[in-house]
Amino acid sequence: MDPLGAIDRPNSYIGRSVPRPNARRLVEGRGQFTDDLPSPPRTVHVAFLRSPYAHARILGIDLDAARALPGVVLVATGADIATVCSPWVGVLTHFAGLKSAPQHPLAIDRAVWLGEPIVAVVAATRALAEDAIDLIRIDYEELPAVTDIDAALAPGAPVIHSALGDNLAFQLRLENGAVDDAFAAAHAVVEDEFVFNRHTAVTLEARTILADYDASENRLTVHQSTQTPYQMQDVYARHFSIPEANVRVVARDIGGSFGMKLHVYGDEMATVALSIMLRRPVKFVADRLESFVADIHTRAHRVRARMAVAADGTITAMAVDDTTGIGPYSAYPRTSAVEGNQAVRLMGGPYAHRAYRGTLKVVFQNKAMMSQYRAVGHPIACAVTESLVDRAAAAVGIDAIEMRRRNLLTDDVYPYTSPTGYVFERLSHHQCLDALERACDYASLRREQQTLREQGVFRGIGLAVFIEITSPGPAFYGVGGAHITAQDGCVMQLDPSGAVRVQVSVTEQGQGTEAIMAQIAASAVGVPMEHVRVVTGDTETTPYGGATWASRGAAIGGEAVLITGRVLRQQLLDLAAAILQAQPETLDIADGLIVDATDGRERLSVAELARIAHFRPDTLPPGVQPQLAAARNHVPRGQAFAFTNGIQASHVEVDIETGFVRLLGHWVVEDCGRLINPLLVDEQIRGGVVQGIGGALFEECIYSPEGQLLNATLADYLVPMAGEMPDIHVSHVTTPTLHSQLGAKGAGEAGTAGAAAAVLNAVNDALAPLGARLTEIPLTPQRILTALGQIQRQSQ
């Protein structure tokens, strides 16, 4: 079947060998040449015409002027792309009742969010493609936009996808214990409504993709800024009907992802489709405006929550109702239900109460899609829980740190199953709390706070106990039908030079993966770290695995490297023993040398061992076959997740005249199991804290009621800057997991999980003498002044 059959294109060169005279050009975007301009380069660029409306019917598209522009190679609509790419649906079977409509790379009949791609223009340069976009004319019928989550669920609301019946994508109810009885018997009940506004990843490197289809071999090669090469290999194979073995995805060093680069995006799928249609490389790089309107957003939640407390401060029950807006589709292939699911399951997690009720509604709306982002759901659960804990402490007259000490799970309860079904192997919150109290000198901060209040200076101290989900096992995605593996693999070999080559399935996103893998491999084999070469991010050259997401790289990929390294080490010892006429157990490997296990005396270098094995195997004893490579996989077994835990404290000062918040200090004590590289862990935590502070104070995607994104530039969308950040003090408690030899848990999201909650509590603590309280994030100066103004008006 001709993939461009829907497009009239005379004298097509597609799929043929094309002569290259001195001066030629493409006209009408259809492959016809004339003789006044050079022919375009083999690699061409695509730009997308995107919907200017949040919801609109596409009545007609006039492409003639764009196709006639010199340098344009192809202009394609959604219907054209649909001839080579099948649609996808972002559901998983273990989220019972989750629904979503089929999604195409480009909108076909309707656009359902501002920025949805409608037309693709391929040209010799990105600038030419954008010039052609300006020549396209589309007739729209603007339709009612559903942007508010309550309005989306109201009777008679416009239904975004009529085939689905309504705008409710998913709902969940969890209940454990006698919740109503606990609230009825409570000494005090505290409650609040919390609003968490959308923000987005703002990665240093935007989404990029270069797709190259070779029709002669039916082979597709994609260079892409993705976290998960093997996931995308599967997606491309299935939706473009190419054998998986013929699809190669390369994802080298990526300039930041934070979960945003886990998902399938229509513009990226269209780029691959265009390469198949054109039989040549096609490149797409999202600009910053496209990133704001097309990258997934996050944290769009409205939570109503209550907490019951006894007179002695014991928390007896918690009830939450979370409604989250996810845009017009559930993201593929991981769905947009995961964030809300994790939020309601993590609520109240660190505390010992058994009565809990949680309800969740996941709602379609005409905004950009919302899905997984760093610390998925954790900041929501932590902020709601910790804010209510502070309110409960005030209600019974107990200091905030003592309130937590009385209610945190004690060390003797583990393994412990939470009211929502999570199983905690071992947490260390009491040790973390004690360490944090010392680290920030909590008593001194409280004394200083009181002194300054008398002088009209309003400072606050906020605490946030957190749990971080890391290293998901097979029951996370695979059980729901997603082709997303929980295991990671490693292939390790000794090169002729004596260097160790490590090919591993985890990917490098700027978090230091390759350094950690080299460190583990060097230790496991017994060679200097500089003799280790790590290869990541290529489905053609690395073993199959889950790659980088959910703080799993070191805990799962590192375990695979450790196991593989120990196997290779034993192989080298067996070979050395044969050469030296010794027993393997009498030898060891240290710093690249085969040594005597008892006295450390050098017997043979690993480099010499490699030379003999590769180039003089004829000198080996009869029957000895040198084994210089090992391959192993690791999948977490025995637990669904490895839970990291800790506590954070924020120290702030609020200017009640301007509403500005000054960050004076931030402390984190966390437990991620065995620390492999303490410096990298500390900086991961600091980076996570900064992102959490961004969500707490600065970052917000502001929409109009009509679904227009009003601040889609870095001039209007605020991100945390270095000069605004406090000193972030990080320390650790170490509780290795017993489910792996390495003992490591994840650490990549701990900072983000609790930072916003700590800042929220600190700001509310600062404003407590004035009677003001905030429950909407980010805590902008306007919101702070509004809260103060409401108190002033009430007092008049």
Side-chain angles (χ1 to χ4, degrees):
M1 175 181 176
D2 183 350
L4 288 182
I7 302 177
D8 177 27
R9 62 195 198 298
N11 303 321
S12 174
Y13 68 93
I14 296 172
R16 305 176 189 171
S17 175
V18 181
R20 302 177 65 86
N22 291 332
R24 302 159 69 81
R25 73 179 172 104
L26 288 161
V27 297
E28 297 187 342
R30 306 176 188 180
Q32 183 176 354
F33 292 110
T34 62
D35 294 332
D36 55 359
L37 286 176
S39 60
R42 173 164 167 74
T43 298
V44 288
H45 299 258
V46 60
F48 295 94
L49 186 154
R50 297 176 182 273
S51 173
Y53 299 104
H55 196 193
R57 184 172 289 110
I58 301 167
L59 302 178
I61 305 176
D62 182 356
L63 304 175
D64 290 342
R67 285 174 168 164
L69 186 69
V72 170
V73 178
L74 176 68
V75 181
T77 65
D80 302 325
I81 299 295
T83 63
V84 295
C85 179
S86 63
W88 55 88
V89 180
V91 299
L92 293 172
T93 58
H94 63 307
F95 290 123
L98 174 62
K99 61 189 181 186
S100 187
Q103 185 178 355
H104 290 272
L106 305 182
I108 296 177
D109 299 315
R110 283 186 310 135
V112 289
W113 86 88
L114 173 78
E116 183 175 11
I118 298 174
V119 178
V121 176
V122 183
T125 67
R126 170 72 181 243
L128 280 172
E130 291 180 348
D131 288 346
I133 284 174
D134 291 339
L135 302 176
I136 296 173
R137 296 293 176 261
I138 299 182
D139 291 330
Y140 295 99
E141 177 191 351
E142 188 173 3
L143 301 172
V146 181
T147 56
D148 179 77
I149 54 176
D150 289 322
L153 296 177
V159 177
I160 297 174
H161 302 291
S162 58
L164 300 181
D166 56 33
N167 295 319
L168 182 62
F170 178 67
Q171 59 184 332
L172 175 70
R173 180 182 176 88
L174 305 169
E175 186 156 352
N176 186 81
V179 178
D180 293 333
D181 291 346
F183 276 102
H187 171 75
V189 174
V190 293
E191 57 187 313
D192 262 320
E193 178 174 304
F194 300 86
V195 175
F196 301 87
N197 287 294
R198 284 174 168 247
H199 56 96
T200 191
V202 197
T203 54
L204 184 63
E205 177 192 44
R207 290 184 295 110
T208 62
I209 183 170
L210 173 64
D212 185 6
Y213 178 69
D214 182 349
S216 68
E217 296 185 350
N218 190 27
R219 184 174 296 276
L220 174 68
T221 300
V222 179
H223 294 259
Q224 185 175 4
S225 59
T226 178
Q227 297 171 235
T228 51
Y230 279 103
Q231 170 194 293
M232 296 312 300
Q233 179 192 45
D234 169 74
V235 166
Y236 296 140
R238 285 192 289 123
H239 290 279
F240 293 100
S241 299
I242 300 172
E244 187 171 298
N246 287 11
V247 178
R248 179 186 184 188
V249 178
V250 182
R252 301 295 191 193
D253 293 346
I254 306 301
S257 298
F258 315 123
M260 183 271 289
K261 295 175 182 174
L262 282 174
H263 312 288
V264 169
Y265 291 92
D267 46 25
E268 295 177 349
M269 296 292 279
T271 302
V272 174
L274 291 164
S275 178
I276 294 171
M277 295 162 76
L278 291 169
R279 276 68 157 174
R280 67 194 299 180
V282 179
K283 183 177 183 178
F284 169 65
V285 179
D287 63 27
R288 191 57 68 182
L289 174 60
E290 289 177 306
S291 295
F292 274 113
V293 300
D295 292 357
I296 61 101
H297 293 176
T298 188
R299 315 283 196 249
H301 292 254
R302 196 271 321 281
V303 182
R304 298 182 176 117
R306 298 190 299 152
M307 180 175 284
V309 60
D312 64 354
T314 300
I315 299 169
T316 58
M318 188 173 180
V320 300
D321 177 29
D322 182 6
T323 303
T324 177
I326 63 167
Y329 299 100
S330 174
Y332 181 73
R334 295 168 185 260
T335 85
S336 296
V338 174
E339 173 154 302
N341 177 68
Q342 292 191 173
V344 297
R345 290 183 183 276
L346 284 167
M347 298 276 186
Y351 299 107
H353 68 279
R354 298 300 302 168
Y356 176 80
R357 178 185 297 131
T359 59
L360 170 68
K361 293 185 181 69
V362 178
V363 181
F364 294 123
Q365 54 186 171
N366 293 116
K367 294 181 179 180
M369 282 188 290
M370 189 278 288
S371 196
Q372 285 90 319
Y373 173 76
R374 192 174 192 175
V376 182
H378 297 60
I380 311 301
C382 190
V384 170
T385 301
E386 295 303 298
S387 182
L388 290 183
V389 169
D390 270 11
R391 288 206 68 185
V396 296
I398 297 175
D399 179 76
I401 207 164
E402 178 60 26
M403 181 73 177
R404 287 164 173 82
R405 186 169 281 121
R406 294 186 186 185
N407 285 282
L408 286 169
L409 292 167
T410 55
D411 294 344
D412 59 351
V413 301
Y414 300 107
Y416 176 82
T417 302
S418 77
T420 64
Y422 283 149
V423 179
F424 304 140
E425 177 194 7
R426 289 189 299 169
L427 304 179
S428 56
H429 280 124
H430 282 279
Q431 297 95 309
C432 291
L433 183 63
D434 292 343
L436 181 106
E437 187 175 16
R438 294 190 298 269
C440 70
D441 196 356
Y442 181 79
S444 293
L445 290 180
R446 285 297 183 198
R447 289 193 297 269
E448 177 192 60
Q449 179 188 47
Q450 187 57 42
T451 300
L452 291 173
R453 279 179 177 174
E454 295 168 1
Q455 302 170 18
V457 177
F458 296 92
R459 291 187 173 180
I461 303 107
L463 303 174
V465 180
F466 67 87
I467 296 171
E468 179 195 356
I469 295 173
T470 79
S471 311
F476 196 57
Y477 283 119
V479 69
H483 292 195
I484 300 171
T485 182
Q487 63 86 31
D488 274 303
C490 175
V491 175
M492 197 177 298
Q493 65 187 47
L494 183 68
D495 289 343
S497 66
V500 175
R501 179 184 297 267
V502 179
Q503 297 156 272
V504 64
S505 55
V506 292
T507 54
E508 178 62 78
Q509 311 290 312
Q511 78 278 46
T513 290
E514 292 180 359
I516 291 173
M517 298 305 134
Q519 188 177 344
I520 295 170
S523 176
V525 178
V527 299
M529 189 172 167
E530 57 268 24
H531 291 181
V532 178
R533 165 81 186 281
V534 177
V535 179
T536 65
D538 188 340
T539 60
E540 194 83 353
T541 62
T542 62
Y544 198 97
T548 299
W549 47 276
S551 299
R552 64 187 302 282
I556 301 178
E559 183 76 5
V561 172
L562 177 67
I563 296 169
T564 309
R566 288 177 172 173
V567 173
L568 179 61
R569 178 193 188 98
Q570 188 58 53
Q571 291 174 176
L572 299 185
L573 288 172
D574 291 342
L575 181 60
I579 294 172
L580 298 171
Q581 298 183 359
Q583 295 300 313
E585 58 270 19
T586 67
L587 301 174
D588 198 2
I589 306 178
D591 201 27
L593 301 173
I594 310 295
V595 300
D596 190 287
T598 56
D599 58 16
R601 177 170 53 92
E602 179 182 345
R603 303 290 301 277
L604 184 70
S605 71
V606 171
E608 177 64 11
L609 182 71
R611 186 195 67 81
I612 294 170
H614 279 283
F615 305 126
R616 292 303 310 275
D618 57 304
T619 64
L620 296 175
V624 174
Q625 287 286 343
Q627 300 299 318
L628 306 176
R632 290 293 185 274
N633 294 76
H634 175 70
V635 62
R637 301 296 295 272
Q639 58 179 0
F641 308 99
F643 287 93
T644 292
N645 68 270
I647 185 166
Q648 300 188 29
S650 175
H651 187 210
V652 307
E653 182 177 311
V654 180
D655 186 329
I656 63 172
E657 300 297 326
T658 65
F660 279 86
V661 176
R662 185 157 68 98
L663 300 163
L664 304 175
H666 200 99
W667 292 264
V668 182
V669 180
E670 79 74 73
D671 184 348
C672 63
R674 179 164 289 116
L675 295 171
I676 300 168
N677 189 313
L679 178 61
L680 283 176
V681 170
D682 285 357
E683 297 315 310
Q684 277 285 296
I685 291 171
R686 288 190 175 95
V689 167
V690 170
Q691 281 188 287
I693 290 172
L697 295 178
F698 305 107
E699 298 187 55
E700 179 178 1
C701 296
I702 302 172
Y703 278 88
S704 73
E706 297 77 25
Q708 294 291 318
L709 184 57
L710 303 178
N711 62 331
T713 73
L714 286 175
D716 302 303
Y717 181 97
L718 302 182
V719 294
M721 307 293 284
E724 299 162 327
M725 293 302 100
D727 287 339
I728 301 171
H729 310 274
V730 180
S731 56
H732 302 275
V733 171
T734 302
T735 309
T737 177
L738 302 180
H739 290 278
S740 71
Q741 299 177 43
L742 193 60
K745 307 172 189 176
E749 297 165 283
T752 309
V759 172
L760 172 64
N761 281 348
V763 169
N764 281 330
D765 184 51
L767 298 178
L770 304 173
R773 179 173 176 79
L774 289 95
T775 57
E776 182 172 0
I777 287 177
L779 307 167
T780 62
Q782 180 179 358
R783 290 186 177 117
I784 291 172
L785 292 176
T786 299
L788 289 167
Q790 289 173 346
I791 297 301
Q792 292 170 359
R793 287 193 296 273
Q794 291 172 6
S795 64
Q796 292 174 352

